[in-house]
Amino acid sequence: MGMLDGKVAMITGAASGIGRETARRFAKEGAKVAVVSLKSEEERAVSLCAEIAREGGAAVFIPCDVSREEDVRAAVKGTIQKFGRLDIVMANAGINGVWAPIDELMPGEWDRTIAVNLRGTYLAIHCAVPELKRAGGGSIIIVSSVNGTRTFANAGSTAYSVSKAGQVALMKMAALELAASNIRVNAICPGATDTEIGSSTIKRNVETIKVGVHFPHGAPGIRNGQARPADIADVCLFLASDLARHVSGAEIFVDGGFSLAV
């Protein structure tokens, strides 16, 4: 018997990284999974659905730009049409965006990061809550970060850090508001994780504002603060499951303790 038997989960940004590993983990524990990701990620998303099917699970790819209301509404509708209900929402889609000195960070660059990371999280919750209420409750998991919540040492990451701090504030407001509907809302705050998000980061002139943080004896924390996607997925599984039935409004740092020293 799996920890998520009979549950349906919708995961945004599920084609790669933390989202992909969590989709696998949820499916292994019995959940049916809506793999929500950009149309450009279709090949990877479809391969993930096929992998889940081969292992006896059920998954469907739904293309979606989380910054677009109509896309997110369609993703929720598609999940319900395919699986009949919705119990778990993981707002995971995000970008690092542009990192630059604040006087060089352009308004359009700021807007794009906020649109994907913060607006996208709001839209996922906003559109999914009616279905969670129909199901009698559920779990919302927001993927935030140590940046903007515990550490501010990454030069130029202003828009990203603000979006991540905003996600935690949104989580706490929603947790209190939705408690009466038996909907739990929590956030995980990963540190450095072995995903591809860093490769798409655009950095401009960050050396001019860099704060000198040095660890001559190696970075602190478990495994020097380096996480694997599976480390994050297991925490998400806990939050999605009945083991976390009385956990709501919590931000959980998953960085091996690294950010305590930064």
Side-chain angles (χ1 to χ4, degrees):
M1 182 175 178
M3 294 173 66
L4 301 179
D5 279 352
K7 304 292 187 182
V8 174
M10 184 183 84
I11 303 175
T12 68
S16 62
I18 292 170
R20 187 181 188 92
E21 190 61 33
T22 304
R24 287 193 187 108
R25 194 74 177 91
F26 282 9
K28 286 179 181 178
E29 292 295 335
K32 298 174 182 178
V33 183
V35 175
V36 176
S37 195
L38 291 168
K39 177 70 174 175
S40 61
E41 294 287 328
E42 180 172 8
E43 184 175 347
R44 300 172 85 178
V46 169
S47 73
L48 172 61
C49 293
E51 176 187 332
I52 289 171
R54 285 195 300 272
E55 295 181 357
V60 62
F61 166 57
I62 304 176
C64 175
D65 177 343
V66 296
S67 69
R68 295 169 53 88
E69 179 184 354
E70 57 269 35
D71 279 22
V72 180
R73 289 195 182 281
V76 173
K77 183 178 180 180
T79 302
I80 298 300
Q81 288 177 336
K82 178 66 176 179
F83 297 127
R85 60 183 291 134
L86 182 59
D87 305 279
I88 301 158
V89 176
M90 182 174 168
N92 167 72
I95 59 173
N96 274 359
V98 177
W99 291 14
I102 197 162
D103 53 330
E104 297 180 19
L105 181 67
M106 301 306 293
E109 295 166 343
W110 166 279
D111 289 346
R112 180 59 182 161
T113 300
I114 298 298
V116 174
N117 294 358
L118 189 51
R119 175 181 167 85
T121 298
Y122 152 74
L123 285 173
I125 296 172
H126 172 73
C127 296
V129 159
E131 296 301 334
L132 295 176
K133 287 180 176 179
R134 288 189 187 96
S139 174
I140 296 171
I141 304 163
I142 296 170
V143 180
S144 180
S145 173
V146 298
N147 291 290
T149 57
R150 190 182 258 178
T151 181
F152 300 85
N154 283 311
S157 64
T158 303
Y160 179 79
S161 294
V162 168
S163 73
K164 294 299 164 177
Q167 285 179 314
V168 171
L170 172 58
M171 173 273 290
K172 292 181 179 182
M173 290 293 295
L176 190 58
E177 177 182 331
L178 297 173
S181 299
N182 196 34
I183 298 172
R184 298 179 292 105
V185 191
N186 295 286
I188 59 167
C189 300
T193 307
D194 184 19
T195 69
E196 299 172 13
I197 191 170
S199 63
S200 61
T201 308
I202 300 171
K203 294 185 179 182
R204 281 200 314 268
N205 299 329
V206 295
E207 292 297 324
T208 64
I209 55 170
K210 189 174 182 179
V211 178
V213 180
H214 302 287
F215 299 103
H217 303 296
I222 299 168
R223 292 201 310 271
N224 302 119
Q226 294 292 318
R228 297 177 291 251
D231 299 324
I232 315 302
D234 283 348
V235 179
C236 292
L237 174 60
F238 164 71
L239 291 174
S241 76
D242 289 341
L243 291 176
R245 60 191 173 274
H246 205 57
V247 179
S248 193
E251 54 194 298
I252 302 177
F253 293 89
V254 192
D255 70 339
F258 173 81
S259 61
L260 292 170
V262 181

